[in-house]
Amino acid sequence: MGKWFGITLASIISAAAAIVIAIEAEGSGWEIIVGATGIGFACVLLPTGWMLGRHYDRIKSRSERDSLTNAFTRRFIDRCFTRLSEQALRGGKRISVTLVDLNDFKLINDTYGHRSGDEVLVQLAKALASCCNRGEIVGRWGGDEFLILSPYAVRGASNSLHRLIEERMERLSQSTDKPISVAIGTAVFPEDGKTLEQLLQTADRGMYEDKKLRKKEETIHRLKA
């Protein structure tokens, strides 16, 4: 988007410069020189505008995307929630906020190394993105924790999303040959809160309840074995 804006701006400046020179040179017989001058301005300014616009796009992308996982940043999620919550209130819609925390990430780092740990985070972000096909926004909330912002969520959709995420984690475990699982918690706007902080508190409690339940199930499974 930025590079096209740069090209457009450069084109406008070139055309304006040519018009000004044409007005000054009107009736003098210098029309060819005026045209050449306009082309010269365009040849100089268009590449410059494109390069500056491209640089702007890169800076914007870095501010919106996590450098490791390419998931959206926390700042971007904050901005999106503000806008979406205002729209949801006006339209009587819901928004769901889902926290996804990678279980035993320290163990993965200690066992396989930090580079492998980083690769797991990258694959996790891709797996979460593959679960989203209704305009959801996947962001890295911090460390090994991710957030999924679902605009205009419908009742019961979070359960389907949870099951889909768990299926993706099973596939990811098999493909990487690493024990990958996540704890999940969801809160719904506006029932569970009207601010992102309130929703995160509710989702966080649900996530840790899920984590405790999984630990209990793992313990029972080990005892039976």
Side-chain angles (χ1 to χ4, degrees), residues 11-23 34 37-38 41 45:
S11 301
I12 292 171
I13 293 173
S14 300
I19 291 170
V20 170
I21 295 172
I23 292 172
V34 170
T37 302
F41 268 109
L45 291 177

Side-chain angles (χ1 to χ4, degrees), residues 35-225:
T37 302
I39 294 172
F41 268 109
C43 289
V44 173
L45 291 177
L46 285 176
T48 303
W50 185 85
M51 289 175 64
L52 290 174
R54 188 180 180 190
H55 183 60
Y56 168 81
D57 285 339
R58 285 177 176 173
I59 293 174
K60 184 179 179 184
S61 178
R62 287 172 186 168
S63 70
E64 293 180 350
R65 296 279 187 173
D66 176 61
S67 60
L68 175 64
T69 64
N70 203 42
F72 286 105
T73 62
R74 191 167 184 154
R75 181 179 297 179
F76 182 80
I77 294 288
D78 280 330
R79 291 204 307 267
C80 283
F81 178 81
T82 299
R83 184 174 69 252
L84 290 172
S85 61
E86 291 172 354
Q87 295 174 356
L89 277 176
R90 288 196 299 268
K93 304 293 185 180
R94 293 184 176 89
I95 300 172
S96 71
V97 174
T98 300
L99 283 177
V100 180
D101 184 73
L102 181 60
N103 293 325
D104 300 318
F105 183 55
K106 184 179 183 302
L107 181 61
I108 292 174
N109 275 330
D110 292 343
T111 304
Y112 303 100
H114 289 277
R115 183 170 295 181
S116 291
D118 285 347
E119 183 58 28
V120 167
L121 291 177
V122 172
Q123 294 302 320
L124 173 57
K126 289 180 180 179
L128 293 177
S130 73
C131 297
C132 303
N133 56 10
R134 297 182 178 180
E136 296 93 340
I137 300 167
V138 179
R140 187 180 181 190
W141 200 242
D144 58 351
E145 193 171 76
F146 290 80
L147 183 148
I148 301 175
L149 188 63
S150 305
Y152 314 130
V154 296
R155 186 178 296 277
S158 61
N159 292 332
S160 299
L161 179 61
H162 289 197
R163 287 194 297 270
L164 187 56
I165 291 173
E166 288 172 357
E167 289 173 5
R168 292 289 191 276
M169 292 306 103
E170 289 178 6
R171 293 182 191 176
L172 190 56
S173 293
Q174 293 172 0
S175 64
T176 61
D177 197 28
K178 295 180 179 65
I180 299 173
S181 66
V182 295
I184 310 169
T186 295
V188 178
F189 170 95
E191 289 95 325
D192 296 322
K194 293 187 177 180
T195 68
L196 184 55
E197 183 179 358
Q198 291 171 343
L199 293 168
L200 286 170
Q201 288 174 354
T202 300
D204 196 58
R205 287 194 295 269
M207 185 181 70
Y208 277 99
E209 285 298 318
D210 186 37
K211 192 178 288 284
K212 284 166 56 179
L213 180 61
R214 289 174 186 275
K215 291 290 185 184
K216 184 178 180 180
E217 290 174 347
E218 289 174 5
T219 302
I220 294 172
H221 180 73
R222 283 197 300 268
L223 290 174
K224 287 183 177 179

